[in-house]
Amino acid sequence: MTNEAPARYMQGIAVPESSVNPREFFLRTRRRTQLESSKAYAGLGQTDTFELKKTDILAGLFIRFDGSLVTVKGTGQVNTQARWPYDLIKQLKFTANGQSNIINCSGLKLKAREAMGKGDLTDRGVSQNYNGATVTQGTLSQACESWGVGSRATNVPDGTYDIDLSWFVPVAEDQIDLSGAIFAASSSTDLTVNIDWAPPTDVFTLSGTATATLTGTVQVVALRYSIPLGPDGQIVVPDLSVFHSLIQTRYTNLANGENELRLIGQGAGKTVLRAFSQLWNGAPAVPVVVNEDNFGKMAWRFGGNETPDEYPDAQVLRYINERMYCSDIGAVWGFHCHEFASENAFRDAVDLGTASEWRQVINVLPAVVLSNAAVETTVESIFTAGAGS
């Protein structure tokens, strides 16, 4: 008869119970930043798939696009839309250990979340061109990035423009406690990243015989933590019993006045860390600036009519968001966020087991003439392995 050490299942992977020792892990582990994959960009409207290595503990991914845009006006014009440049990633999907689409959102949402997750990361003073004007606040851009041509640019001249864009995929909620990081050192581990690139009509408006050709290389760089050995020679790991999720949902059928939008995928075992949204309006769609002229009361509710946070108008929420994130997220890309984790970790997070029927309240004022309008909401949460994504 064989005696086996008691096992503990974390994220669907069996780990010896005696190996789970967060304090010992953080004393002995070492961060590793390594190139995971590099390949030629598949092209607008195409998909790139990356299978990740089965090693260490995976905490994050850096995605980089390095290439060029060639524009030729011909008999028409090349214009860029508001989805350019960061929603070049139309949808990034990260799947791990049987949990499909733990992260499923667009590139612009990843840029917003990066600013929200790191209060010392700022875009202040980084110049980019948006809608024909130089903008130095709220672009979510880093100085080392290059948009090539501006967002919402009209009649782009013929030329070849360098493009260098980056996105961070937060597999773990943060890089300190590693909540949501993935135990990857197992033959049963399955880690996949699928990037659906935007079709041409999402990022460019072309007339006549005009063309816009985008080529380049996609790099995936993994941020991992080594799995050390303890004093007894056994592996040591932190508590990885939860997943970290970032899921985007699109709401239509909006109206002027108060809109109450129910959070999709609610259930026990899930905890909401933040929920951030944009209102896209018009054709081609643009994000509506968050201010008191465009939005009235902003709030979130649960249960029958419990409303813990209520802002008299959007300008108040925008002020609070900028104070938290060191970025005016409502100015250019029209983001607003109900934040529960930025300054107090998990103290203020919303437990969907007790705060059921979670809704966000968005009051769209009459000044906004709605046309093909949609709210895109991204919910960041922590959930146990059995609760689903």
Side-chain angles (χ1 to χ4, degrees):
M1 181 176 179
T2 302
N3 292 323
E4 296 184 357
R8 178 175 179 177
Y9 281 84
M10 298 191 300
Q11 303 170 335
I13 302 295
V15 178
E17 179 71 36
S18 58
S19 294
V20 182
N21 189 333
R23 183 178 181 277
E24 192 72 22
F25 173 82
F26 287 111
L27 287 174
R28 296 175 178 269
T29 190
R30 182 173 181 84
R31 186 179 60 203
R32 295 173 175 173
T33 305
Q34 300 172 328
L35 177 65
E36 192 76 11
S37 182
S38 179
K39 64 166 66 175
Y41 162 65
L44 292 169
Q46 304 301 310
T47 299
D48 276 315
T49 299
F50 301 89
E51 298 286 342
L52 305 183
K53 296 182 181 70
K54 299 178 180 181
T55 182
D56 295 329
I57 291 174
L58 180 66
L61 298 167
F62 297 97
I63 310 294
R64 182 189 178 205
F65 176 89
D66 181 21
S68 62
L69 172 67
V70 177
T71 60
V72 178
K73 294 193 293 184
T75 62
Q77 288 188 5
V78 176
N79 304 326
T80 61
Q81 297 189 29
R83 298 284 183 184
W84 176 266
Y86 292 126
D87 268 352
L88 175 62
I89 295 181
K90 183 179 180 68
Q91 189 175 41
L92 183 143
K93 293 172 284 188
F94 173 65
T95 299
N97 301 345
Q99 291 288 342
S100 62
N101 301 339
I102 292 176
I103 294 177
N104 189 337
C105 61
S106 76
L108 185 54
K109 278 61 172 184
L110 289 173
K111 294 296 288 190
R113 194 278 169 191
E114 186 174 9
M116 295 168 184
K118 283 184 67 66
D120 56 352
L121 180 68
T122 180
D123 54 19
R124 298 183 190 278
V126 178
S127 296
Q128 297 290 2
N129 192 281
Y130 181 82
N131 197 24
T134 299
V135 180
T136 59
Q137 305 281 339
T139 63
L140 302 179
S141 179
Q142 294 178 259
C144 60
E145 292 184 288
S146 174
W147 291 8
V149 296
S151 184
R152 299 181 66 189
T154 58
N155 198 17
V156 176
D158 291 356
T160 300
Y161 302 91
D162 292 333
I163 311 296
D164 200 332
L165 305 171
S166 64
W167 301 264
F168 180 68
V169 182
V171 177
E173 190 272 332
D174 67 31
Q175 301 301 312
I176 300 175
D177 62 25
L178 296 183
S179 294
I182 302 295
F183 182 82
S186 169
S187 60
S188 58
T189 297
D190 178 22
L191 305 174
T192 306
V193 175
N194 287 291
I195 301 177
D196 295 335
W197 301 104
T201 52
D202 275 10
V203 287
F204 301 114
T205 300
L206 306 174
S207 62
T209 60
T211 60
T213 305
L214 187 64
T215 58
T217 300
V218 183
Q219 296 175 334
V220 177
V221 176
L223 182 59
R224 300 176 182 272
Y225 291 83
S226 64
I227 300 175
L229 296 178
D232 58 358
Q234 191 165 354
I235 66 168
V236 179
V237 298
D239 185 351
L240 301 175
S241 57
V242 298
F243 286 107
H244 174 232
S245 178
L246 207 62
I247 302 295
Q248 177 179 330
T249 304
R250 183 178 174 88
Y251 301 86
T252 54
N253 300 319
L254 303 171
N256 290 107
E258 189 171 295
N259 297 270
E260 198 167 290
L261 309 179
R262 184 182 184 275
L263 179 69
I264 301 299
Q266 299 188 46
K270 297 183 181 181
T271 301
V272 176
L273 305 181
R274 57 178 61 89
F276 52 98
S277 303
Q278 299 166 289
L279 172 60
W280 289 82
N281 191 46
V286 298
V288 177
V289 174
V290 177
N291 59 31
E292 71 274 20
D293 296 325
N294 295 328
F295 297 98
K297 181 174 68 177
M298 312 289 268
W300 68 276
R301 289 182 181 141
F302 71 95
N305 199 34
E306 295 288 333
T307 309
D309 293 330
E310 182 175 294
Y311 307 92
D313 60 54
Q315 192 70 22
V316 176
L317 182 54
R318 177 173 162 182
Y319 159 76
I320 292 172
N321 286 163
E322 182 177 359
R323 181 179 176 274
M324 286 181 171
Y325 309 137
C326 202
S327 174
D328 188 1
I329 63 171
V332 176
W333 303 117
F335 281 106
H336 68 270
C337 180
H338 293 291
E339 174 65 60
F340 310 117
S342 178
E343 295 181 343
N344 295 295
F346 295 109
R347 189 195 71 187
D348 297 324
V350 179
D351 181 358
L352 294 182
T354 56
S356 60
E357 291 301 315
W358 196 102
R359 293 100 70 197
Q360 63 171 323
V361 177
I362 301 177
N363 191 322
V364 183
L365 297 179
V368 180
V369 179
L370 297 175
S371 173
N372 301 308
V375 168
E376 294 179 0
T377 294
T378 303
V379 176
E380 182 174 358
S381 62
I382 290 286
F383 63 92
T384 55
S389 58

